[in-house]
Amino acid sequence: MSAPTRTPAGAPSAVGGPGGRIGDDARRPDGVLKVRGEFAYGSDLWMDDMLWGVTLRSPHPYARIRSIDVGPALAVPGVHAVLTSDDVPGEKVYGLELADQPVLAFDVVRYQGEPVALVAADHPDTARRAAARIVVDYDVWEPVTDARVALGHPTWNQVHDSPAEVTELSRESADLHPHGNLVRHLKVRRGAPAPTADVVVVGEYEVGMQDQAFLGPESGLAVPGEDGGVDLYVATQWLHVDQRQICAALALPPERVRLTLAGVGGAFGGREDLSMHVHACLLALHTGKPVKMSYNREESFFGHVHRHPATMRYEHGATRDGDLVYVKAEIYFDGGAYASSTPAVVGNGGTMGIGPYVVPNVHVDCYGAYTNNPPCGAMRGFGSVQTAFAYEAQMDALAAELGMDPVELRCRNAMEQGSTTPTGQVVDSPAPVVELLRRLEAMPMPPAVPTGDDVDLRDMPGGVSNTTHGEGVRRGVGYAVAYKNVAFSEGFDDYSTARVRLEVVGGEAVATVHTAAAEVGQGLVTVEQQIARTELGVEQVVVHPKDTAVGSAGSTSASRQTYVTGGAVKAACEAVRGQVLELAQRGVGRPVADLRLDGGKVVSDVEGIALPLADVLGEEVVEETVEWRHRPTESIDPETGQGFAHVQYAFSAHRAVVDVDVELGLVKVVEMACTQDVGKAINPQAVIGQIQGGTAQGLGLAVMEEILVRDGRVQNPSFTDYLIPTVLDMPPMRVEILEYADPHAPYGLRGVGEAPNISSGPAVLAAIRQATGLPLTRVPVRPEHVTGT
Amino acid sequence: MQFLQPATWAEALEAKAAHRDAVPIAGGTDVMVGINFGRLRPALLLDLTRVADLRQWDTDDGAVRLGAGVPYARVITELGDRLPGLAMAARTIGSPQIRNRGTVGGNLATASPAGDAHPALLAAGAEVEVASVRGTRTIPVTEFYRGVKRSALADDELIAAVRITPPSGPQQYSKIGTRNAMVIAVAAFGLALHPARRAVGTGIGSAAPTPRRAPAAEEFLAGELDGLWDSRAELPAATAARFGELVAAAAAPIDDVRGTARYRVHALSVMARRALTWAWLDYRKGDPTCA
């Protein structure tokens, strides 16, 4: 029946093979291991004498903790420790931007799934059973589950012709936190305060809560050190910001909290906040033993932040010719119980919330609120995904109102280099919005809706579930364009550190690149090798394990690592190269003109010199560590939102072609086409991969991905009911990559990962609207919305 | 947790008689999910994968006797011609990995209203062969489902096989999911035309506490087809539409995370109408199967 399982004898080396400079489709050093199932992820961490840690979580979205009795859990044989907030030696709250989230809940729990207590035991099942015996006495409160209600704001009544209502809050819900329920209110005020226009389009939109849905659950292993510190191996996104927060909670200095990146199975923003990090360290320090924690799938849904749900009201005014006169927008992000990165999400949503268009008059109010829903924070596209659904729907609605072609309307108002953004920032590098759209338009269309007896069910809405052979199927085509800031904004000191070493190993010059930049699957390890090969002219480049023994690389988020850590590696390589060329000239005994490193040699074409690098280096080890920053941004004016907030923009556009079974409300996306300006494709194959993945994630939000929350409780914490696209949902793609260099960025590159995630979903929605003739103002679109049931 | 691995059917029945709380496991596509999510913590697992008899199918007096342990993948590849409706249902199930593991017997044992095989079994008029140390009995599938995840199986019984008479007419199966593959049914519908006995079989999934037939729809359609079986004339559109309405009327769905009750009712009416249209077209072409 089934073949015996074989384990291959030798796992391939983690060192990248030959070739692979800037611009090449270099192979990933971890690619073979991952394809063969041999790559060690965080959940594979193991030590023989380790304990297993588990978390007891609140069953209530909002409650006061009267008491916690850990006695029954401690009495379970095999249990080594049971800890509560009282056992946290340092700061009892943590957070990325605001420290407001308890390491372990004390006094109050503010969301379902909030960690309350920890258990370490010699077997995970023992730990789980013991955790279930902890007695927590809750005084259950009524949760506040609507962002506008939490802020005491009236419901919108401009579209629905009824009086505004303000919902009264209970005493507890009026202030989830001591500073109230408002996390941030961002205002953009530009142009006339009360503009008027020939044609006005108003719309209200809602985006549901998307999950990052990474496959590798939150996992790590904490090992107590002999110095009273701890070594934590963890799958994460930003080692140093983890370290800072762990140090504060443990009351330990950084040199005693050492982090090493474990294998990361996807992140998409969901690992930027702490999950089991402090918990495992607490248990390890308390028991003196290594402690492993690894969430199961259900716990994972409670163990990380999600994408902010949003409700948005937009008003677009234009001339009869189709020139945008003004945009007013009111945007609410539901941040859930704790701040996480809500302030920065509000920053993106507010500053870029009208899309890549030139608008003389802009009035935006963007709010982030606390509620008792699951905490929301970073996810790919970060505040721009939600608004793109709204502003692109508005552009289509405006085009319909004007009787214009939607692409024409977009091109007429498109941002270009030299344009001024709503925050008063002049776009100082290429912004090829028009070209992205025109190239999409020029692409051939996929074949028409299949009909007749020979339809392949896999081409139909519903797939092999056999719900239509063509009956009720209508085709639609939709366009969307988006832009996104790359790297951290609003004055954040955004830097990365790279240490590069060049030495002779076994007679060959080998470069080692050491950064703390988390490889989460995106391929930064490949890019680091490509840069070192390019700058140092060597073949062999070792990527040192990612850890806190080197300075911070910043977060693997905001499409920033190829730009910022790439920039740091480039700069460190340049410093190393300078020293090597110095050595070479010392060897020659005089300055040599036009000296460079190439093909493992120190070369001067002008002087006809080609010295083997191994000879030049000899016993020397050349090492340089560089801290590298992109040009600074500045915080925006709190009253007007004006300021140089963003260092770079990424632009992408999509055309979606869909077939909708309008009777059953089922959707088949037939084709996704994408154009994106990447400045310079450091690794074209990886760029295509990012575009395909980002497109799939955007498509998922458009038609299926949503964490359903009712009364503060998650209804579908599993991959049975939280659906992500399969191969029958995500169609083949046409992709065209533009490379207009950004003169401010290393190699002219632009961050790639997020933009396609932003423009994909709105294009799908536009196509479904065209196919159905329905307004469809909420995503994900469900069959009920299409069928009116 | 104890783990028993009987090598023969007789041993399996003895084990089940001795340990009535034992949870049988075959493909494990339901049981292991329950265990992994902490919702199922059986004291004893009874592994049936060593029992070779369960993994076989045979024909017996014109009927297919499908061993309870035959995975869906084999239903598709080996029985697509004989059991077209069940094979169509099997194609909608999970991923290739799930279809390699999951079994019709397991689907019956779990007796979830969303089980994909049930509407096809109901439409085909299948029988469930169950056994214990006390003996073997045959339960019509219409009497097998007793409530949400409850069946007519006694606590010392195991499912041996499903008996299905290959159809004398076309069968159809449709399922709604909110993605195009690997999805739990929001609603499902099975249809079998039985020209030999001038009857119609239906099965509804995910739209009532148990899988169920739509008897009024079956009677209505059998009546309408009375004059058409021989002439193979075109089916009036109004007949198909009315059939859809009657199927929908037989459902008693709820709102849940996968869909609203209203949508389920609506979707059933559309699925039933379309399935009938396709089945009748096949019948008119004289094509007994359409798998």
Side-chain angles (χ1 to χ4, degrees), chain A residues 424-473:
Chain A
Q425 187 171 345
V426 175
V427 179
D428 60 3
S429 70
V433 176
V434 172
E435 184 177 349
L436 293 174
L437 288 164
R438 294 298 184 203
R439 280 176 175 269
L440 280 176
E441 266 190 326
M443 288 186 196
M445 286 299 239
V449 183
T451 51
D453 288 344
D454 296 325
V455 296
D456 184 334
L457 287 177
R458 291 170 299 182
D459 296 333
M460 292 281 124
V464 295
S465 290
N466 189 39
T467 47
T468 180
H469 298 171
E471 297 90 340
V473 177

Side-chain angles (χ1 to χ4, degrees), chain A residues 12 29 164 193 246 286 310-311 329 357 485 523 550 664 748:
Chain A
I246 298 166
H286 206 84
T311 49
Y357 303 111
N485 59 330
V550 67
L664 288 173

